Amino acid sequence: MSTPSDQVLHQPEPVEGRLLRNVCGLFVTGVTVITSGAEGRSEGTTVNSFTSVSLDPPLVLFCLHKESRLRAVIDEAGSFVVNFLSGPQEPLARAFAGKGTSAVKDVPHHHSAEGMPVLSEALAFLACRLDKEFDGGDHTIFVGRVVELGVPREYQEPLIFFRGSLGALEEEPRGAHPIFDG
């Protein structure tokens, strides 16, 4: 006799969006805040859909919902910054998640050599020029060429996202507030 913990989840097409989100939530990811814009208009949003693509040329990508407020800012600026968050920065990740979020001007930041907003207390950052955009269903896939990088907080643990919760690497992720890229 099998118990609920012994049962294997299996769903053929059509795959339900909520179930897909739950299964993908079993893949541990780091947490970033993507920032873009100029001094007068800069925005940021929390994203966990980030990956490196190529070392030569240096390319990275992230996915952003098509209705995100950050989309127009990136298209206008032609560049963005990937800010890797550390474990203690969970409040910052929450502040930039969702529709009504913190403003970059309200958190410690400085500017990259090309003028993009960089979160000063991030674990690390990659400043990128927008290289390509691809359709990804309800998201846009942004590919950027890394033009500057920095590691101001090298010896901190990263903030991670697992099973719909945020947490530091050294602790069990907790929380009941899911993060959605906005």
Side-chain angles (χ1 to χ4, degrees):
M1 177 187 252
S2 66
T3 65
S5 62
D6 294 334
Q7 294 178 4
V8 176
L9 174 66
H10 180 95
Q11 182 185 27
E13 287 190 69
V15 173
E16 298 171 17
R18 187 74 192 152
L19 188 55
L20 177 61
R21 177 186 292 267
N22 290 344
V23 171
C24 288
L26 298 174
F27 183 72
V28 177
T29 65
V31 180
T32 70
V33 169
I34 306 295
T35 53
S36 185
E39 187 63 43
R41 180 181 182 216
S42 56
E43 295 278 349
T45 194
T46 302
V47 170
N48 72 326
S49 59
F50 163 81
T51 191
S52 61
V53 175
S54 170
L55 297 178
D56 185 20
L59 300 174
V60 298
L61 71 75
F62 75 96
C63 303
L64 189 65
H65 196 279
K66 287 186 177 177
E67 295 180 11
S68 172
R69 69 193 173 289
L70 189 61
R71 182 184 169 83
V73 178
I74 292 172
D75 285 341
E76 182 180 313
S79 56
F80 58 87
V81 177
V82 181
N83 298 275
F84 300 162
L85 300 188
S86 65
Q89 292 183 297
E90 182 176 338
L92 187 66
R94 292 192 185 288
F96 281 99
K99 301 235 184 261
T101 67
S102 288
V104 172
K105 68 180 179 56
D106 296 334
V107 298
H109 70 282
H110 61 280
H111 291 90
S112 69
E114 294 192 356
M116 289 292 103
V118 177
L119 301 182
S120 297
E121 297 175 357
L123 179 67
F125 76 90
L126 303 171
C128 306
R129 278 191 208 114
L130 184 58
D131 190 67
K132 291 183 174 61
E133 293 181 31
F134 299 96
D135 180 62
D138 59 2
H139 281 66
T140 299
I141 303 163
F142 289 92
V143 177
R145 179 181 290 262
V146 179
V147 295
E148 183 181 350
L149 52 80
V151 185
R153 307 252 183 240
E154 185 174 15
Y155 297 106
Q156 291 189 14
E157 293 295 326
L159 183 62
I160 62 168
F161 185 70
F162 178 67
R163 288 192 175 161
S165 297
L166 294 169
L169 186 60
E170 70 273 5
E171 63 186 45
E172 175 94 13
R174 66 198 182 293
H177 301 99
I179 297 296
F180 304 101
D181 57 338

